[in-house]
Amino acid sequence: MSSSKELFRESQLGLFIALVAKVAKADGRVHELEAQLVGMMLDDISKVFVDKEKTRNILKEIFNEEKDRTDNTKEIAQALNHLLGRSRLKRRQFVGFLIQLAFVDKKISSEEDRILREILTELNISADEYTSMLHKFQSTSKNKQQTMSPQEACKVLGVNEGDDLSTIKKTYRKLVREYHPDIIKSQNKDEAYIEKATAKTQEINQAYQLLKELKKH
């Protein structure tokens, strides 16, 4: 499959990456943390193929082409739904990753919500199921600290207050890579895995954003 972009585009993973692109660009642009998470997702998927680099390039091309299209979300979700057959678990896992991407900045915009609902309808995930999944993400997130002092931010990232922004950024990226939910490995885990990974990623991001602002002034 990794030898053909068209074959990949029509596969479960190719269709899923296309939907990831729609959600990532829903509010007008792909934000820094979203871009990092998408990059890691492409890395995770590519690892299971023999030609990792070629596979990643194909997936990145699919992502870049699809993020700027708004006319085919329903069609792609329908195609993925057909390939998933009767698997409720895989549907919920894919949806969990899409919610995680939209929710990673601690809120889901109206456009992200609209696109997610359009996708969920085609994947036969009910509005009640979606609301329930959202609440789980929100409650896991609320268990994390809402306000954070610079000292606590340093502790979360494992850096010193005197470290420069370059050092802090390097540590931040390493931690995001360590704690992001791996789409391949998650297939053997329950939904709580994605929820916890999202909450940890949010906490790391909150700490980084706080220290980044402090270092600018």
Side-chain angles (χ1 to χ4, degrees), residues 45-122:
I45 293 171
S46 303
K47 280 177 193 169
V48 302
F49 291 89
V50 176
D51 195 338
K52 299 175 182 61
E53 191 175 342
K54 186 173 183 181
T55 302
R56 195 188 191 286
N57 288 339
I58 287 173
L59 289 172
K60 191 174 181 182
E61 279 180 33
I62 292 171
F63 177 87
N64 286 335
E65 287 166 11
E66 292 298 336
K67 71 181 168 66
D68 294 322
R69 286 192 65 178
T70 57
D71 61 330
N72 61 348
T73 305
K74 185 175 179 178
E75 177 189 329
I76 289 170
Q78 284 174 344
L80 179 58
N81 184 58
H82 177 71
L83 289 183
L84 289 174
R86 295 184 178 182
S87 175
R88 297 296 299 166
L89 178 62
K90 219 161 191 186
R91 276 179 179 77
R92 288 180 68 91
Q93 282 176 335
F94 279 152
V95 168
F97 272 94
L98 294 174
I99 293 173
Q100 185 252 355
L101 187 66
F103 189 66
V104 79
D105 57 359
K106 294 204 172 184
K107 64 185 185 301
I108 289 183
S109 70
S110 58
E111 270 304 296
E112 286 171 333
D113 181 67
R114 184 188 67 75
I115 287 175
L116 280 168
R117 287 181 186 276
E118 185 177 352
I119 292 167
L120 266 61
T121 299
E122 300 309 323

